[in-house]
Amino acid sequence: FVRVDVERIQHPRPAHAPLELELRAMPRRRKSEIARGGGREPSQPDQAPAVATEERGEGLPRGRWEIRPSASSSECRVIVLQITDVYTLEHLASFKTLVEETRKGAGAGTRVVSMLTGDFLSPYLLSSVDRGQGMMDALNGIPLDYLTWGNHEADIEHRTVCRHVREFEGTWINSNMLDHEAMADQVEYDVIELEAGDGTQKRRVGLCAVLSDDPGLYSHFKGGPFGGATITDPWEALEKYRGVLAGEEGCDLVLPLQHTYVPDDHKTCDRFDFPVLLSGHDHHRVDQVVNGTRLLKPGMNGVCATVLEISWTEASQKRPFIEARFVRCKDWEPEPDLEEQNERAYDALLPLKNTELARVPPAFRPLSSGNSRGSVCTMGTYICSLLKSALNAKRRQRDHSVDAVLLMGGNIRGNVDEYPIDSFFSLEALEAEVKADEVVGIVPMPGWLLTEGVKATHSGDPIPGWMQYDQEVVEDGESGEVTHLNGEAIEPDRVYRVATKVSDLANGQCPQWTRYYTDNKDLLPPKGAYVNVQTELMSYFARNLWRKIWDALTERVGRQCGGASGCNPEERLNALDADGDGSVSIDEIQAALRDLLGYSVDDREQSLARFVHTYADTSGDGAVTLKDFEIFCEEMDAVYKQDEWRLAFSRPSFSGRK
């Protein structure tokens, strides 16, 4: 098993040089007004390519890449088209065209495979509603050949993830989480078989895929991520499957796929003699040669794709030619059918755009985000309070548990002096005030540091770092000191769990925080444990759709949970169960959204109804039955009391109707 010569990597054959072509004019696409992004912004700039190419800016080669003809009829070649860390459907129809056109031009002796190396189910706005269904439909619509795990796939409820695994039409490779519940629908490795057009040689390329086992990425999951599956050491798995693929399977080359940060990628390059490594997890583009291994990461969201060519021109050749570049997916016209399908997927968000996500309690009125960089504004306090509630909400698979939420004023972006006094908090307002890719992490913060930090940012002229905080943080107006937290006097030496934008801790806006967290970097959470603010809030709000249906049923059946007359779960079930089969279907949820709540719904797209159905299915058996209604009857009164100030929809008055 031979390492590819670095000299060969740095100087590809002239015959493979890219063609210089005009970029295609792109047609104007219909776009809904719903935000489509997600994830977090790259924390580092894109890196220059390891191999010199003519560039057109942003580190990308000039012209639209075109597949070269085979060097000869005896050539064996595989072309790998890779995307990673995709939190939007926006570029997938163009990626499909790239895949299709590459296959059409491949010719005999060339295989073309497509892959996504982790992070595609979360975190982004659409997945907070459809639990990744739109993404999986799009990947099957390409159709994508290979998927591998990313850490954010653990964010979605485990049984939903298992369903996605079973319904994926390609091959899901998993080399270091072998006790995963849906392992029967995954493979530990795979082999791509190649044969020259003239039949003079055959080659085998082995694939294995590992996920980061960094415990910091998963510390907030109760019972562990992925339903308690064991994520084993990535390098032990790579050692194992390199042996299996190069030995038992007789592969000519082993191509590792990783979802790890660059330092861990370098660890692989130093430990092994892989000619090339495809990875994800970092959101910026990376093209490096490390200890003779070409490391490639195309960056996030399918904006760019890796084009990796591995070829042997004749049977006697021992070392393969390795060539790679990044291409911009939008240089290919989007495939119309998949583009339209993806547009319909986003329609699941349209019913939420101008509807009420949360009532604005009197304490926050008039709602204002004006001068958020020079004062504590009501919008800042409201968003921090909502985010705190969302993080502290009881969930089956995770426990964040925070004491406070602090956000710098620059993160409250609407600059609206005063919203109408009777307005509600809508998705439109959420998008205006908080960027789609804004993320927070949970950090330990001593009480004295919290107090000093808030006081420092509130001293002097307005700055982007002027601190906003949740309603349970009490600041003395004269001294500027934080005196109370959650109804109790703040304790200087107590360590509190604070949700905040981690990058703001060391940006110099608050000198005390910058010094402390620069000296104590080990206290900062890994980027993979960050929480997307929009997604977190949308998950919290979307659960209230079921509560709104419940409220509408209360009016219809005349029975209020906790009331003397009882909740009457059977009558509630019957009110929704149109076909009388004893369970509420997704179609019946869709009808309830339309008829009970007055939502405008498109029966071609049921992602929103599917999410509500998933939430209502407390037992996780795929059906919403009397048992689920009985559980909600028991819990709903306590839920109202727990969420008294922040309910997305006010509790209905009891009419006493029979």
Side-chain angles (χ1 to χ4, degrees), residues 25 40 112 183 239 247 293 295 324 332 380 432 467 532 534-535 540:
R40 58 175 171 82
V112 177
M183 193 64 208
E239 182 69 43
T293 297
L295 169 61
W332 282 261
M467 197 58 58
N532 181 278
Q534 274 202 13
T535 301
Y540 184 66

Side-chain angles (χ1 to χ4, degrees), residues 629-641:
F629 277 76
E630 289 171 345
I631 290 174
F632 276 105
C633 279
E634 294 172 1
E635 294 179 350
M636 196 58 71
D637 200 53
V639 167
Y640 276 120
K641 292 178 181 177

Side-chain angles (χ1 to χ4, degrees), residues 123-134:
Y124 49 97
L125 191 61
L126 179 60
S127 75
S128 72
V129 172
D130 76 352
R131 291 300 187 254
Q133 188 62 50

